[in-house]
Amino acid sequence: GQNIDQPTEMTATEGAIVQINCTYQTSGFNGLFWYQQHAGEAPTFLSYNVLDGLEEKGRFSSFLSRSKGYSYLLLKELQMKDSASYLCAVTDSNYQLIWGAGTKLIIKP
Amino acid sequence: NAGVTQTPKFRVLKTGQSMTLLCAQDMNHEYMYWYRQDPGMGLRLIHYSVGEGTTAKGEVPDGYNVSRLKKQNFLLGLESAAPSQTSVYFCASSAGTEAYQPQHFGDGTRLSIL
């Protein structure tokens, strides 16, 4: 079966750095997305990785290792507004998105 | 910028009642999707459409029907609501299924079945 694993919840301090991991086992791979979802709101697109390596976008970076079935989202200089759930999703061989359950990130002052 | 608009935002139904959720997008996207999101679970695809007049089943289609009569609209119907269908429903659209195309989501419909 297809499976995406993320930690359920993480806590970090304002101004610090946090890494949210995602591991996947899917039938084929055509890219990996990270989305941010604030409580009670819609998911919004953060990043897309299809090649191994690090993609940097401001305070957020996303890393992919296809051979290991592994990705992480790195958030730097954490702000209170970064408190949200972060969803990992993989595009499989049929170009369907398979979603992880999400990681709830709590930022403390 | 409207993007993807879902109506209604909240609804309470009794078991056995029917209703239709409406999704409208103004980005001229070909692809549209209906998901449900339940606590502790990832988004699960109910039905999707690859263009006007076409629909296909996703991971959890039972108890739901859809229609895409116009490119900009995608309707989700519950014929006979059941408590197990209590959930948050999200509609999304994308320009295509090229792997790099992100999906854009509406704000969701919170549906409770009593």
Side-chain angles (χ1 to χ4, degrees), chain B residues 71-99:
Chain B
K71 184 177 183 178
Q72 64 267 34
N73 296 337
F74 195 29
L75 279 65
L76 177 71
L78 283 72
E79 298 172 338
S80 179
S84 61
Q85 295 177 304
T86 293
S87 187
V88 181
Y89 291 85
F90 285 101
C91 176
S93 70
S94 66
T97 57
E98 293 86 0

PDB file of all heavy atoms in Angstrom, chain B residues 71-99:
ATOM      1  N   LYS B  71     -16.932  24.205 -16.789  1.00  0.00           N
ATOM      2  CA  LYS B  71     -15.518  24.101 -16.440  1.00  0.00           C
ATOM      3  C   LYS B  71     -15.225  24.710 -15.078  1.00  0.00           C
ATOM      4  O   LYS B  71     -14.406  24.184 -14.318  1.00  0.00           O
ATOM      5  CB  LYS B  71     -14.678  24.802 -17.504  1.00  0.00           C
ATOM      6  CG  LYS B  71     -13.178  24.672 -17.310  1.00  0.00           C
ATOM      7  CD  LYS B  71     -12.437  25.330 -18.447  1.00  0.00           C
ATOM      8  CE  LYS B  71     -10.938  25.142 -18.321  1.00  0.00           C
ATOM      9  NZ  LYS B  71     -10.207  25.754 -19.463  1.00  0.00           N
ATOM     10  N   GLN B  72     -15.904  25.803 -14.735  1.00  0.00           N
ATOM     11  CA  GLN B  72     -15.562  26.500 -13.512  1.00  0.00           C
ATOM     12  C   GLN B  72     -16.223  25.928 -12.267  1.00  0.00           C
ATOM     13  O   GLN B  72     -15.875  26.323 -11.160  1.00  0.00           O
ATOM     14  CB  GLN B  72     -15.908  27.998 -13.642  1.00  0.00           C
ATOM     15  CG  GLN B  72     -17.386  28.285 -13.824  1.00  0.00           C
ATOM     16  CD  GLN B  72     -17.780  28.373 -15.290  1.00  0.00           C
ATOM     17  OE1 GLN B  72     -17.238  27.673 -16.144  1.00  0.00           O
ATOM     18  NE2 GLN B  72     -18.738  29.253 -15.582  1.00  0.00           N
ATOM     19  N   ASN B  73     -17.177  25.006 -12.433  1.00  0.00           N
ATOM     20  CA  ASN B  73     -17.931  24.515 -11.276  1.00  0.00           C
ATOM     21  C   ASN B  73     -17.791  23.004 -11.106  1.00  0.00           C
ATOM     22  O   ASN B  73     -17.802  22.252 -12.093  1.00  0.00           O
ATOM     23  CB  ASN B  73     -19.423  24.842 -11.429  1.00  0.00           C
ATOM     24  CG  ASN B  73     -19.701  26.327 -11.433  1.00  0.00           C
ATOM     25  OD1 ASN B  73     -18.925  27.110 -10.921  1.00  0.00           O
ATOM     26  ND2 ASN B  73     -20.822  26.713 -12.026  1.00  0.00           N
ATOM     27  N   PHE B  74     -17.715  22.577  -9.857  1.00  0.00           N
ATOM     28  CA  PHE B  74     -17.630  21.142  -9.540  1.00  0.00           C
ATOM     29  C   PHE B  74     -18.512  20.909  -8.331  1.00  0.00           C
ATOM     30  O   PHE B  74     -18.269  21.486  -7.263  1.00  0.00           O
ATOM     31  CB  PHE B  74     -16.179  20.765  -9.252  1.00  0.00           C
ATOM     32  CG  PHE B  74     -15.885  19.293  -9.262  1.00  0.00           C
ATOM     33  CD1 PHE B  74     -16.617  18.415 -10.049  1.00  0.00           C
ATOM     34  CD2 PHE B  74     -14.831  18.776  -8.520  1.00  0.00           C
ATOM     35  CE1 PHE B  74     -16.325  17.057 -10.082  1.00  0.00           C
ATOM     36  CE2 PHE B  74     -14.522  17.418  -8.543  1.00  0.00           C
ATOM     37  CZ  PHE B  74     -15.275  16.560  -9.324  1.00  0.00           C
ATOM     38  N   LEU B  75     -19.579  20.133  -8.491  1.00  0.00           N
ATOM     39  CA  LEU B  75     -20.562  19.926  -7.442  1.00  0.00           C
ATOM     40  C   LEU B  75     -20.372  18.559  -6.799  1.00  0.00           C
ATOM     41  O   LEU B  75     -20.152  17.556  -7.486  1.00  0.00           O
ATOM     42  CB  LEU B  75     -21.975  20.020  -8.017  1.00  0.00           C
ATOM     43  CG  LEU B  75     -22.565  21.409  -8.240  1.00  0.00           C
ATOM     44  CD1 LEU B  75     -21.792  22.177  -9.300  1.00  0.00           C
ATOM     45  CD2 LEU B  75     -24.032  21.328  -8.615  1.00  0.00           C
ATOM     46  N   LEU B  76     -20.508  18.530  -5.478  1.00  0.00           N
ATOM     47  CA  LEU B  76     -20.440  17.277  -4.724  1.00  0.00           C
ATOM     48  C   LEU B  76     -21.777  17.053  -4.056  1.00  0.00           C
ATOM     49  O   LEU B  76     -22.244  17.913  -3.302  1.00  0.00           O
ATOM     50  CB  LEU B  76     -19.338  17.344  -3.660  1.00  0.00           C
ATOM     51  CG  LEU B  76     -19.205  16.119  -2.754  1.00  0.00           C
ATOM     52  CD1 LEU B  76     -18.628  14.936  -3.542  1.00  0.00           C
ATOM     53  CD2 LEU B  76     -18.300  16.422  -1.557  1.00  0.00           C
ATOM     54  N   GLY B  77     -22.388  15.902  -4.322  1.00  0.00           N
ATOM     55  CA  GLY B  77     -23.683  15.583  -3.754  1.00  0.00           C
ATOM     56  C   GLY B  77     -23.622  14.438  -2.759  1.00  0.00           C
ATOM     57  O   GLY B  77     -22.872  13.484  -2.943  1.00  0.00           O
ATOM     58  N   LEU B  78     -24.393  14.592  -1.686  1.00  0.00           N
ATOM     59  CA  LEU B  78     -24.600  13.503  -0.734  1.00  0.00           C
ATOM     60  C   LEU B  78     -26.059  13.096  -0.889  1.00  0.00           C
ATOM     61  O   LEU B  78     -26.965  13.896  -0.633  1.00  0.00           O
ATOM     62  CB  LEU B  78     -24.345  13.961   0.698  1.00  0.00           C
ATOM     63  CG  LEU B  78     -22.904  14.107   1.162  1.00  0.00           C
ATOM     64  CD1 LEU B  78     -22.236  15.315   0.533  1.00  0.00           C
ATOM     65  CD2 LEU B  78     -22.843  14.184   2.678  1.00  0.00           C
ATOM     66  N   GLU B  79     -26.301  11.888  -1.338  1.00  0.00           N
ATOM     67  CA  GLU B  79     -27.663  11.452  -1.633  1.00  0.00           C
ATOM     68  C   GLU B  79     -28.458  11.164  -0.365  1.00  0.00           C
ATOM     69  O   GLU B  79     -29.626  11.532  -0.261  1.00  0.00           O
ATOM     70  CB  GLU B  79     -27.616  10.213  -2.526  1.00  0.00           C
ATOM     71  CG  GLU B  79     -26.951  10.481  -3.882  1.00  0.00           C
ATOM     72  CD  GLU B  79     -26.750   9.200  -4.675  1.00  0.00           C
ATOM     73  OE1 GLU B  79     -26.722   8.130  -4.056  1.00  0.00           O
ATOM     74  OE2 GLU B  79     -26.603   9.305  -5.905  1.00  0.00           O
ATOM     75  N   SER B  80     -27.829  10.495   0.589  1.00  0.00           N
ATOM     76  CA  SER B  80     -28.486  10.135   1.846  1.00  0.00           C
ATOM     77  C   SER B  80     -27.425  10.207   2.935  1.00  0.00           C
ATOM     78  O   SER B  80     -26.682   9.248   3.144  1.00  0.00           O
ATOM     79  CB  SER B  80     -29.087   8.727   1.751  1.00  0.00           C
ATOM     80  OG  SER B  80     -29.691   8.365   2.972  1.00  0.00           O
ATOM     81  N   ALA B  81     -27.346  11.362   3.598  1.00  0.00           N
ATOM     82  CA  ALA B  81     -26.242  11.621   4.514  1.00  0.00           C
ATOM     83  C   ALA B  81     -26.206  10.626   5.666  1.00  0.00           C
ATOM     84  O   ALA B  81     -27.256  10.220   6.210  1.00  0.00           O
ATOM     85  CB  ALA B  81     -26.349  13.045   5.050  1.00  0.00           C
ATOM     86  N   ALA B  82     -24.987  10.252   6.055  1.00  0.00           N
ATOM     87  CA  ALA B  82     -24.748   9.347   7.171  1.00  0.00           C
ATOM     88  C   ALA B  82     -23.778  10.010   8.144  1.00  0.00           C
ATOM     89  O   ALA B  82     -22.939  10.821   7.732  1.00  0.00           O
ATOM     90  CB  ALA B  82     -24.170   8.028   6.670  1.00  0.00           C
ATOM     91  N   PRO B  83     -23.862   9.678   9.443  1.00  0.00           N
ATOM     92  CA  PRO B  83     -22.934  10.278  10.423  1.00  0.00           C
ATOM     93  C   PRO B  83     -21.465  10.116  10.049  1.00  0.00           C
ATOM     94  O   PRO B  83     -20.640  10.980  10.379  1.00  0.00           O
ATOM     95  CB  PRO B  83     -23.286   9.542  11.716  1.00  0.00           C
ATOM     96  CG  PRO B  83     -24.726   9.200  11.560  1.00  0.00           C
ATOM     97  CD  PRO B  83     -24.892   8.844  10.104  1.00  0.00           C
ATOM     98  N   SER B  84     -21.123   9.020   9.335  1.00  0.00           N
ATOM     99  CA  SER B  84     -19.727   8.801   8.939  1.00  0.00           C
ATOM    100  C   SER B  84     -19.233   9.834   7.919  1.00  0.00           C
ATOM    101  O   SER B  84     -18.028   9.923   7.653  1.00  0.00           O
ATOM    102  CB  SER B  84     -19.567   7.397   8.343  1.00  0.00           C
ATOM    103  OG  SER B  84     -20.382   7.265   7.183  1.00  0.00           O
ATOM    104  N   GLN B  85     -20.163  10.593   7.364  1.00  0.00           N
ATOM    105  CA  GLN B  85     -19.789  11.625   6.408  1.00  0.00           C
ATOM    106  C   GLN B  85     -19.563  12.990   7.069  1.00  0.00           C
ATOM    107  O   GLN B  85     -19.290  13.978   6.383  1.00  0.00           O
ATOM    108  CB  GLN B  85     -20.838  11.741   5.294  1.00  0.00           C
ATOM    109  CG  GLN B  85     -20.923  10.487   4.434  1.00  0.00           C
ATOM    110  CD  GLN B  85     -22.008  10.558   3.382  1.00  0.00           C
ATOM    111  OE1 GLN B  85     -23.176  10.787   3.702  1.00  0.00           O
ATOM    112  NE2 GLN B  85     -21.629  10.360   2.121  1.00  0.00           N
ATOM    113  N   THR B  86     -19.668  13.030   8.379  1.00  0.00           N
ATOM    114  CA  THR B  86     -19.285  14.240   9.105  1.00  0.00           C
ATOM    115  C   THR B  86     -17.802  14.488   8.898  1.00  0.00           C
ATOM    116  O   THR B  86     -16.972  13.616   9.182  1.00  0.00           O
ATOM    117  CB  THR B  86     -19.582  14.078  10.611  1.00  0.00           C
ATOM    118  OG1 THR B  86     -20.992  14.012  10.799  1.00  0.00           O
ATOM    119  CG2 THR B  86     -19.011  15.241  11.412  1.00  0.00           C
ATOM    120  N   SER B  87     -17.456  15.647   8.367  1.00  0.00           N
ATOM    121  CA  SER B  87     -16.073  15.903   7.983  1.00  0.00           C
ATOM    122  C   SER B  87     -15.939  17.351   7.529  1.00  0.00           C
ATOM    123  O   SER B  87     -16.915  18.100   7.462  1.00  0.00           O
ATOM    124  CB  SER B  87     -15.675  14.959   6.837  1.00  0.00           C
ATOM    125  OG  SER B  87     -14.289  15.053   6.545  1.00  0.00           O
ATOM    126  N   VAL B  88     -14.713  17.723   7.203  1.00  0.00           N
ATOM    127  CA  VAL B  88     -14.458  18.982   6.504  1.00  0.00           C
ATOM    128  C   VAL B  88     -14.149  18.638   5.054  1.00  0.00           C
ATOM    129  O   VAL B  88     -13.273  17.803   4.783  1.00  0.00           O
ATOM    130  CB  VAL B  88     -13.286  19.760   7.125  1.00  0.00           C
ATOM    131  CG1 VAL B  88     -13.074  21.071   6.372  1.00  0.00           C
ATOM    132  CG2 VAL B  88     -13.548  20.049   8.604  1.00  0.00           C
ATOM    133  N   TYR B  89     -14.874  19.254   4.150  1.00  0.00           N
ATOM    134  CA  TYR B  89     -14.731  18.964   2.729  1.00  0.00           C
ATOM    135  C   TYR B  89     -14.002  20.115   2.047  1.00  0.00           C
ATOM    136  O   TYR B  89     -14.364  21.282   2.199  1.00  0.00           O
ATOM    137  CB  TYR B  89     -16.105  18.751   2.086  1.00  0.00           C
ATOM    138  CG  TYR B  89     -16.765  17.485   2.563  1.00  0.00           C
ATOM    139  CD1 TYR B  89     -17.514  17.462   3.745  1.00  0.00           C
ATOM    140  CD2 TYR B  89     -16.621  16.294   1.861  1.00  0.00           C
ATOM    141  CE1 TYR B  89     -18.083  16.292   4.207  1.00  0.00           C
ATOM    142  CE2 TYR B  89     -17.200  15.117   2.307  1.00  0.00           C
ATOM    143  CZ  TYR B  89     -17.926  15.131   3.482  1.00  0.00           C
ATOM    144  OH  TYR B  89     -18.496  13.961   3.937  1.00  0.00           O
ATOM    145  N   PHE B  90     -12.962  19.755   1.299  1.00  0.00           N
ATOM    146  CA  PHE B  90     -12.195  20.752   0.558  1.00  0.00           C
ATOM    147  C   PHE B  90     -12.298  20.468  -0.933  1.00  0.00           C
ATOM    148  O   PHE B  90     -12.162  19.329  -1.377  1.00  0.00           O
ATOM    149  CB  PHE B  90     -10.719  20.730   0.954  1.00  0.00           C
ATOM    150  CG  PHE B  90     -10.439  21.347   2.290  1.00  0.00           C
ATOM    151  CD1 PHE B  90     -10.231  20.569   3.411  1.00  0.00           C
ATOM    152  CD2 PHE B  90     -10.366  22.729   2.415  1.00  0.00           C
ATOM    153  CE1 PHE B  90      -9.977  21.144   4.641  1.00  0.00           C
ATOM    154  CE2 PHE B  90     -10.104  23.321   3.641  1.00  0.00           C
ATOM    155  CZ  PHE B  90      -9.909  22.523   4.763  1.00  0.00           C
ATOM    156  N   CYS B  91     -12.486  21.540  -1.667  1.00  0.00           N
ATOM    157  CA  CYS B  91     -12.399  21.499  -3.113  1.00  0.00           C
ATOM    158  C   CYS B  91     -11.057  22.090  -3.516  1.00  0.00           C
ATOM    159  O   CYS B  91     -10.543  23.010  -2.854  1.00  0.00           O
ATOM    160  CB  CYS B  91     -13.537  22.318  -3.722  1.00  0.00           C
ATOM    161  SG  CYS B  91     -13.491  22.453  -5.521  1.00  0.00           S
ATOM    162  N   ALA B  92     -10.465  21.568  -4.573  1.00  0.00           N
ATOM    163  CA  ALA B  92      -9.192  22.089  -5.072  1.00  0.00           C
ATOM    164  C   ALA B  92      -9.213  22.078  -6.587  1.00  0.00           C
ATOM    165  O   ALA B  92      -9.994  21.352  -7.212  1.00  0.00           O
ATOM    166  CB  ALA B  92      -8.024  21.265  -4.547  1.00  0.00           C
ATOM    167  N   SER B  93      -8.343  22.883  -7.173  1.00  0.00           N
ATOM    168  CA  SER B  93      -8.197  22.888  -8.626  1.00  0.00           C
ATOM    169  C   SER B  93      -6.729  23.006  -8.981  1.00  0.00           C
ATOM    170  O   SER B  93      -5.916  23.497  -8.187  1.00  0.00           O
ATOM    171  CB  SER B  93      -8.989  24.031  -9.253  1.00  0.00           C
ATOM    172  OG  SER B  93      -8.400  25.287  -8.956  1.00  0.00           O
ATOM    173  N   SER B  94      -6.385  22.536 -10.176  1.00  0.00           N
ATOM    174  CA  SER B  94      -5.023  22.698 -10.682  1.00  0.00           C
ATOM    175  C   SER B  94      -5.083  22.880 -12.184  1.00  0.00           C
ATOM    176  O   SER B  94      -6.041  22.463 -12.843  1.00  0.00           O
ATOM    177  CB  SER B  94      -4.143  21.502 -10.312  1.00  0.00           C
ATOM    178  OG  SER B  94      -4.568  20.333 -10.966  1.00  0.00           O
ATOM    179  N   ALA B  95      -4.019  23.509 -12.701  1.00  0.00           N
ATOM    180  CA  ALA B  95      -3.986  23.811 -14.130  1.00  0.00           C
ATOM    181  C   ALA B  95      -3.879  22.537 -14.949  1.00  0.00           C
ATOM    182  O   ALA B  95      -4.296  22.499 -16.108  1.00  0.00           O
ATOM    183  CB  ALA B  95      -2.844  24.761 -14.441  1.00  0.00           C
ATOM    184  N   GLY B  96      -3.283  21.474 -14.385  1.00  0.00           N
ATOM    185  CA  GLY B  96      -3.138  20.218 -15.100  1.00  0.00           C
ATOM    186  C   GLY B  96      -2.550  19.190 -14.172  1.00  0.00           C
ATOM    187  O   GLY B  96      -2.362  19.460 -12.979  1.00  0.00           O
ATOM    188  N   THR B  97      -2.277  18.015 -14.675  1.00  0.00           N
ATOM    189  CA  THR B  97      -1.683  16.989 -13.821  1.00  0.00           C
ATOM    190  C   THR B  97      -0.184  16.907 -14.004  1.00  0.00           C
ATOM    191  O   THR B  97       0.438  15.999 -13.468  1.00  0.00           O
ATOM    192  CB  THR B  97      -2.256  15.590 -14.109  1.00  0.00           C
ATOM    193  OG1 THR B  97      -2.046  15.299 -15.491  1.00  0.00           O
ATOM    194  CG2 THR B  97      -3.712  15.509 -13.750  1.00  0.00           C
ATOM    195  N   GLU B  98       0.415  17.880 -14.715  1.00  0.00           N
ATOM    196  CA  GLU B  98       1.871  17.902 -14.703  1.00  0.00           C
ATOM    197  C   GLU B  98       2.298  17.894 -13.244  1.00  0.00           C
ATOM    198  O   GLU B  98       1.748  18.619 -12.421  1.00  0.00           O
ATOM    199  CB  GLU B  98       2.403  19.165 -15.399  1.00  0.00           C
ATOM    200  CG  GLU B  98       2.143  19.215 -16.882  1.00  0.00           C
ATOM    201  CD  GLU B  98       0.776  19.804 -17.202  1.00  0.00           C
ATOM    202  OE1 GLU B  98       0.053  20.156 -16.252  1.00  0.00           O
ATOM    203  OE2 GLU B  98       0.446  19.897 -18.389  1.00  0.00           O
ATOM    204  N   ALA B  99       3.286  17.088 -12.941  1.00  0.00           N
ATOM    205  CA  ALA B  99       3.603  16.807 -11.547  1.00  0.00           C
ATOM    206  C   ALA B  99       3.905  18.062 -10.746  1.00  0.00           C
ATOM    207  O   ALA B  99       3.668  18.098  -9.540  1.00  0.00           O
ATOM    208  CB  ALA B  99       4.769  15.839 -11.474  1.00  0.00           C
TER     209      ALA B  99
END
